[in-house]
Amino acid sequence: MHELQFSRDFFPSTAKLSVEERGRVLSFIDKLQENLAHPSISLERITESRSDDLWSGRISRELRAILFRQGDQVMLLHAGHHDDAYAWAKQRRIERNPKTKELQIVQLENVVREVVREVAPAEHSAPPLFRAHADEYLLSLGVPATHLPILREIRTEDQALKFIEAMPGSLGNYLLELLYGGFPTPPAPLAERKGAEPAPTSADVVVLRDAHQIQALLAAPMRQWIAFLHPSQQRLATRTLNGPAKVTGAAGTGKTVVGMHRARHWAAEGRRVLFTSYVTTLCNNLRRNLGLLCTPEEFARIQVATVHSEALRLCKQGGVNLRPLSDEAKALSDLLTRAAERLGVAFDASFLVAEWRSVIRTQDLRSWDEYRAASRSGRGRSLSVAERKACWSVFEAVQNELRSRGETDWMGLSNEARRLLESGKLSSPYDAIVVDELQDLQSPELRLLKALAARCPERLLLIGDAGQRIYPGGFSLKQLGIDVRGRSFTLKVHYRSTEQIRRLADRVLADNADDMDGEREKRGHARSLLSGPKPVLRGFGDDAEEAHTVATAIRDLLAEGLAPDEIAIFFRSPKPKEPVEDELASLGIPTYRLGRDEHDGPPAVALGTMHRAKGLEFKACFVMRVSATALPSRSALQAATDEEEREAALACERQLLYVAMTRARDRLWVTWSERPSDFLSGLTSA
């Protein structure tokens, strides 16, 4: 059985093939692993290539694989139809870089020069972008000597991005950082890297030995990125730290991928790992991808669960038999309203609910003395002692009623579970904890996770981005006693969406954001190595016209070769029956609603709320009804009881749009009827 290597580009190349053709690719790989001389694969050296070790393999009558081969070492580079595969091979050279010692797959210099020129004519009045950097430094990053003159002539950002796109991924990341003001440290030559036994071929190459993993990557080539890590991400995934760590970065920068590799690293060491987040659909996605990344033995050591389900499990284990409230938001509002009316307290339900969540549950207050002394920082309206006393009478009555009914809210359940751990009645079953979408959690959940990691604070990894906070709240890790000083890392390379989508989505957000540690920080925009068509922003006269046009666009995408399950439609608040569903049905295009459970039917176009978009990605996304009447949501703003809460609610609504837009990898449509949302101000004419 031969060990096969796969380049970063191999699995994306199979995305253009049909499901049946991908099956033939898998069969070809099986034969290749079994016997390099298998007669049906017909390995032949490509004589017209600039590289002596470039070979082709026969997948089928119409399909060819392009491979790098030296003796028994084989690396699969590309798969495609006969003429396209050979054209790909003739435009590339594979060689070991004399500085980094890595194998590099680079487009020929004449091809790259032409691509760069086509982007925009050289603007000789503008200075070359990389003029400040010496040749020796650029070569030490891995720039091929043959391509250095082209790099020296680049004068525009778009030209630079096209050049970077043609470079190997690890080199591209270094050049991207350089382009936007960074100064990356050159990689150590492979032979000098510690722990490289045997030395890796390249940071852009992965060795896959598991047939199930190869099959899964071929079946879902969009997810191939989980097998690869940039060297900076690899260090985050495996380095030893002396306390909790925080990883941040804009949408699509690979934060979750780092978390998955970190979880796998700990599991490979024999540790029991909790990988947790706030949303069930995201946990389902994490579980599926971890199953793809890990060996069965590693995966068995990783528990993937929402924080709330973990809190419920711990409470049951500790003998605290409390049921979560059904329809929590409405139930709490009703309980607080009835108690206030019964006690003659003149505060409306929205104020009492906000006080309950932001003060009572956040600080786990269980007595009048605790509430009287508690900080209400961040609450816009101040309260006199008498007003606090009146409010407490309501909160105490609700606490007593919940206790008598054996019910509680999720924040209360998290507090109960934490107390079981802190009292010693329960011990944590985990040796390491990875927290994804950190920004959507509240203080009670984070205190619970801190208690679960009490024995292993150095193996607590917190991953999030305040720019993607879509639920009201906020916290300071410092105030919660979670110290990440010196262990806070920001990822800056965008891997999911094209640069065109990334630029548009970033303009929706404010320039600074909460750092989740009690301070504000300038939001550093990531940069993408991917390029694609310009996003479509378009308004319509009414919902019917909007639905008809979107359905037609989806039909056209399917005709181009996209699969239905590679397309999604998002709304702020979908109607029970959307006009676009009827339009798609009339075209014979199936749809399904995103929900808590996995879709197990035939491939179909996904449709759901912007909240359900979290953690997902699709080749094409349609964000619909982004109109002034729908976004921001009126009900979300009406729930705010003061100006501070209103500003926080507005920020969540804006960030919700950003989340939905950044689910798109290649194609993005943002549509509305009548007047567009104010969040699109300045974008619709761009």
Side-chain angles (χ1 to χ4, degrees):
M1 182 71 70
H2 293 279
E3 178 179 275
L4 298 182
Q5 298 179 341
F6 295 81
S7 79
R8 179 188 292 268
D9 293 330
F10 179 76
F11 290 105
S13 72
T14 68
K16 300 174 183 178
L17 305 179
S18 68
V19 174
E20 183 180 354
E21 288 172 331
R22 290 177 201 163
R24 293 194 178 109
V25 173
L26 184 61
S27 177
F28 171 83
I29 292 171
D30 288 340
K31 294 175 184 176
L32 197 63
Q33 281 187 308
E34 180 183 343
N35 179 10
L36 295 180
H38 196 291
S40 70
I41 61 179
S42 302
L43 287 185
E44 296 179 356
R45 193 186 302 274
I46 301 176
T47 56
E48 297 180 39
S49 166
R50 293 270 293 271
S51 300
D52 292 337
D53 300 312
L54 215 55
W55 294 62
S56 71
R58 188 180 189 277
I59 297 172
S60 69
R61 181 177 178 181
E62 297 295 331
L63 300 175
R64 294 293 183 272
I66 306 300
L67 312 91
F68 171 80
R69 180 185 179 186
Q70 286 183 334
D72 287 343
Q73 181 188 7
V74 176
M75 184 197 311
L76 283 91
L77 309 177
H78 183 85
H81 290 90
H82 182 283
D83 292 349
D84 291 338
Y86 277 97
W88 185 94
K90 291 174 185 177
Q91 292 180 356
R92 283 163 177 81
R93 182 174 65 242
I94 182 165
E95 60 191 7
R96 193 169 292 279
N97 186 281
K99 294 290 186 179
T100 66
K101 310 302 182 185
E102 288 187 346
L103 279 178
Q104 291 184 323
I105 307 159
V106 295
Q107 291 189 32
L108 300 179
E109 51 271 30
N110 62 313
V111 177
V112 175
R113 183 177 284 108
E114 190 60 33
V115 168
V116 169
R117 284 176 177 170
E118 285 177 359
V119 173
E123 297 180 9
H124 294 291
S125 60
L129 293 182
F130 296 93
R131 66 190 183 283
H133 305 292
D135 286 357
E136 190 60 31
Y137 172 67
L138 294 172
L139 291 171
S140 72
L141 294 177
V143 176
T146 51
H147 291 63
L148 189 59
I150 307 172
L151 185 64
R152 286 295 185 204
E153 289 299 315
I154 288 175
R155 299 170 187 269
T156 71
E157 181 182 20
D158 285 340
Q159 288 178 335
L161 290 172
K162 274 297 180 185
F163 180 90
I164 289 170
E165 191 178 349
M167 295 297 105
S170 53
L171 170 59
N173 290 338
Y174 291 130
L175 292 177
L176 196 65
E177 185 176 348
L178 204 60
L179 176 64
Y180 292 112
F183 197 74
T185 302
L190 279 180
E192 299 175 15
R193 297 183 193 176
K194 295 180 180 179
E197 294 290 341
T201 304
S202 165
D204 296 316
V205 174
V206 66
V207 178
L208 298 177
R209 302 175 180 87
D210 186 284
H212 171 72
Q213 189 178 26
I214 296 171
Q215 183 176 4
L217 286 169
L218 284 170
M222 275 189 67
R223 299 196 188 104
Q224 59 80 31
W225 46 265
I226 71 170
F228 298 88
L229 283 180
H230 179 257
S232 62
Q233 293 177 316
Q234 184 66 48
R235 288 192 292 273
L236 278 180
T238 59
R239 68 188 296 176
T240 300
L241 298 168
N242 60 1
K246 180 184 71 170
V247 175
T248 61
T253 52
K255 300 182 297 297
T256 301
V257 178
V258 169
M260 288 193 295
H261 280 264
R262 187 71 163 168
R264 182 190 186 185
H265 171 70
W266 281 326
E269 294 179 335
R271 306 188 191 280
R272 296 163 297 173
V273 184
L274 172 65
F275 203 130
T276 187
S277 189
Y278 182 68
V279 181
T280 301
T281 50
L282 180 55
C283 284
N284 291 338
N285 202 39
L286 288 169
R287 192 176 296 108
R288 183 170 56 249
N289 284 332
L290 281 166
L292 187 65
L293 177 67
C294 299
T295 66
E297 294 77 16
E298 291 165 347
F299 187 59
R301 297 190 188 104
I302 303 174
Q303 168 74 7
V304 182
T306 65
V307 183
H308 289 160
S309 65
E310 190 64 19
L312 182 60
R313 188 190 66 79
L314 289 167
C315 284
K316 287 181 179 178
Q317 184 182 343
V320 178
N321 296 313
L322 292 172
R323 297 186 307 276
L325 282 171
S326 178
D327 194 2
E328 181 180 295
K330 182 178 185 304
L332 273 179
S333 179
D334 291 347
L335 283 167
L336 290 164
T337 298
R338 288 198 301 268
E341 291 174 350
R342 187 170 65 251
L343 295 167
V345 175
F347 286 100
D348 62 32
S350 58
F351 175 84
L352 291 170
V353 168
E355 187 78 0
W356 172 271
R357 292 183 180 278
S358 302
V359 182
I360 303 300
R361 285 314 201 198
T362 292
Q363 300 180 49
D364 194 18
L365 306 177
R366 291 182 289 167
S367 72
W368 159 240
D369 288 339
E370 289 177 340
Y371 182 51
R372 180 174 184 172
S375 167
R376 297 182 65 255
S377 176
R379 300 286 288 135
R381 174 177 177 173
S382 61
L383 295 177
S384 66
V385 173
E387 288 174 321
R388 280 206 193 201
K389 183 67 174 176
C391 286
W392 177 252
S393 68
V394 174
F395 300 142
E396 185 177 42
V398 170
Q399 286 183 346
N400 290 337
E401 183 172 352
L402 286 172
R403 192 177 300 111
S404 68
R405 290 163 46 173
E407 294 181 320
T408 188
D409 56 354
W410 286 113
M411 294 175 81
L413 201 70
S414 298
N415 286 330
E416 292 281 357
R418 171 185 53 80
R419 286 196 291 270
L420 288 170
L421 291 165
E422 291 178 344
S423 68
K425 292 181 180 178
L426 286 180
S427 59
S428 174
Y430 304 112
D431 307 307
I433 295 174
V434 180
V435 183
D436 200 14
E437 303 294 350
L438 164 69
Q439 73 280 350
D440 289 330
L441 299 180
Q442 305 292 335
S443 296
E445 290 98 348
L446 286 168
R447 286 196 181 97
L448 168 59
L449 294 169
K450 179 189 173 189
L452 279 169
R455 291 186 294 104
C456 53
E458 73 281 4
R459 291 191 293 276
L460 173 59
L461 180 64
L462 305 166
I463 301 168
D465 172 25
Q468 296 183 70
R469 178 176 286 137
I470 60 175
Y471 300 101
F475 53 81
S476 163
L477 293 174
K478 189 185 305 179
Q479 290 180 3
L480 293 172
I482 302 174
D483 185 1
V484 295
R485 288 176 298 175
R487 297 179 300 277
S488 184
F489 310 95
T490 303
L491 301 179
K492 297 180 179 179
V493 180
H494 189 110
Y495 296 97
R496 179 191 299 135
S497 305
T498 65
E499 178 66 6
Q500 290 80 2
I501 293 172
R502 196 278 310 163
R503 286 180 186 173
L504 182 72
D506 276 352
R507 290 173 62 190
V508 170
L509 293 183
D511 286 335
N512 61 75
D514 171 19
D515 70 351
M516 297 181 286
D517 213 14
E519 304 291 339
R520 302 289 295 181
E521 64 181 358
K522 185 172 178 59
R523 186 172 180 83
H525 295 313
R527 295 300 185 272
S528 176
L529 293 176
L530 305 174
S531 184
K534 185 178 179 180
V536 175
L537 293 95
R538 186 171 173 186
F540 300 91
D542 54 38
D543 288 354
E545 183 187 1
E546 182 183 8
H548 176 75
T549 305
V550 166
T552 302
I554 290 174
R555 179 199 62 192
D556 294 343
L557 289 175
L558 295 175
E560 290 178 20
L562 264 70
D565 55 357
E566 294 173 329
I567 302 172
I569 304 170
F570 297 118
F571 300 91
R572 175 58 180 89
S573 301
K575 301 172 182 177
K577 186 65 173 178
E578 281 290 343
V580 73
E581 289 179 282
D582 290 332
E583 291 281 353
L584 289 169
S586 70
L587 296 172
I589 300 171
T591 61
Y592 75 97
R593 293 281 181 128
L594 289 167
R596 297 173 63 89
D597 299 323
E598 292 289 310
H599 172 65
D600 57 2
V605 174
L607 185 146
T609 66
M610 294 180 180
H611 286 88
R612 291 288 186 196
K614 180 65 75 73
L616 304 178
E617 65 175 67
F618 299 86
K619 284 189 176 180
C621 289
F622 293 79
V623 186
M624 295 184 65
R625 278 210 307 276
V626 188
S627 60
T629 55
L631 200 69
S633 163
R634 291 178 181 175
S635 60
L637 298 185
Q638 288 170 354
T641 60
D642 54 53
E643 192 57 34
E644 283 190 29
E645 285 188 7
R646 179 181 170 82
E647 288 301 315
L650 270 173
C652 283
E653 292 290 296
R654 181 181 291 275
Q655 287 154 193
L656 195 56
L657 175 59
Y658 171 79
V659 166
M661 292 170 69
T662 53
R663 301 310 97 189
R665 172 183 159 182
D666 301 320
R667 307 285 188 93
L668 172 65
W669 283 54
V670 180
T671 64
W672 63 90
S673 59
E674 300 181 357
R675 189 166 68 87
S677 166
D678 289 343
F679 295 157
L680 297 178
S681 178
L683 274 65
T684 55
S685 58

